[in-house]
Amino acid sequence: MYRRPRLAAVAAGVLLTAGVGSTVPASAAPPRTTATEAAPATTLVTNARWGGHGSFDRFVIDLRGAQPHASVRPVKALRYDGTGHKVPLAGKHFLEVRLSPAAAHDDAGRSVYRGPKLLKIHLPTLKGLAMTGDFEGYVTFGAAFDSKPVYKTTRLHAPERIVIDVRRGPAGCGA
């Protein structure tokens, strides 16, 4: 007579124990999305432009969406992402600009980037610019210089863009 309630209690305990690991309180569960709600969009890289200013040359990367992480670093040579082939830009010094997460194409694979892919530039400091990659959430650019670049990176908003200013003149001079 007491056997059935005890068996039911043991079975309930086993089921509860087995389900504990997968039980999430409603307040902690991620919100459900409907078919009309889109997932957050990847930042799109739409253009790269450049210009000469009084004491510096400027390189600007135009964005659509939130600012991605951006790293700017000197490299010995510029290489295309994916293949590793050397980028044919003349120069003795190079900067690599890497954005992530970012893309230069839309979800259908169509390019949204309208800037130069490879370009020789005739400014006092900036000598060339190349888009070196749009691969697996990274967009990469390379810039070429005849002398070691002294640079500053700035994030500007409305519209979103990343700016790299490279001081003119020899490294260490107060240009």
Side-chain angles (χ1 to χ4, degrees):
M1 145 163 155
Y2 290 103
R3 213 161 223 202
R4 233 171 240 230
R6 189 182 319 184
L7 184 58
V10 170
V14 169
L15 290 173
L16 285 173
T17 303
V20 167
S22 62
T23 303
V24 177
S27 62
R32 292 185 181 202
T33 58
T34 64
T36 58
E37 292 181 73
T42 298
T43 299
L44 298 177
V45 178
T46 59
N47 195 20
R49 49 198 169 92
W50 61 96
H53 301 276
S55 61
F56 61 94
D57 290 344
R58 176 171 279 179
F59 166 36
V60 179
I61 301 170
D62 294 321
L63 308 168
R64 189 179 325 141
Q67 291 264 347
H69 172 74
S71 67
V72 181
R73 67 184 184 107
V75 294
K76 291 184 181 196
L78 296 174
R79 304 223 172 252
Y80 287 108
D81 292 352
T83 66
H85 294 134
K86 191 171 180 182
V87 176
L89 276 179
K92 296 176 185 169
H93 300 274
F94 304 96
L95 289 178
E96 178 187 77
V97 181
R98 196 165 178 83
L99 310 173
S100 176
H105 61 277
D106 63 18
D107 290 338
R110 293 180 301 259
S111 180
V112 297
Y113 178 72
R114 300 293 178 238
K117 302 279 183 167
L118 179 67
L119 183 68
K120 185 175 183 178
I121 298 173
H122 302 284
L123 289 174
T125 305
L126 182 62
K127 299 301 179 185
L129 177 63
M131 179 185 197
T132 59
D134 177 16
F135 187 68
E136 294 185 352
Y138 291 89
V139 174
T140 312
F141 289 90
F145 308 89
D146 285 337
S147 60
K148 186 175 180 180
V150 177
Y151 60 94
K152 177 178 88 169
T153 304
T154 308
R155 294 172 177 275
L156 297 177
H157 307 282
E160 299 299 313
R161 59 210 184 277
I162 295 172
V163 176
I164 297 102
D165 289 332
V166 182
R167 187 171 61 193
R168 290 184 180 167
C173 91

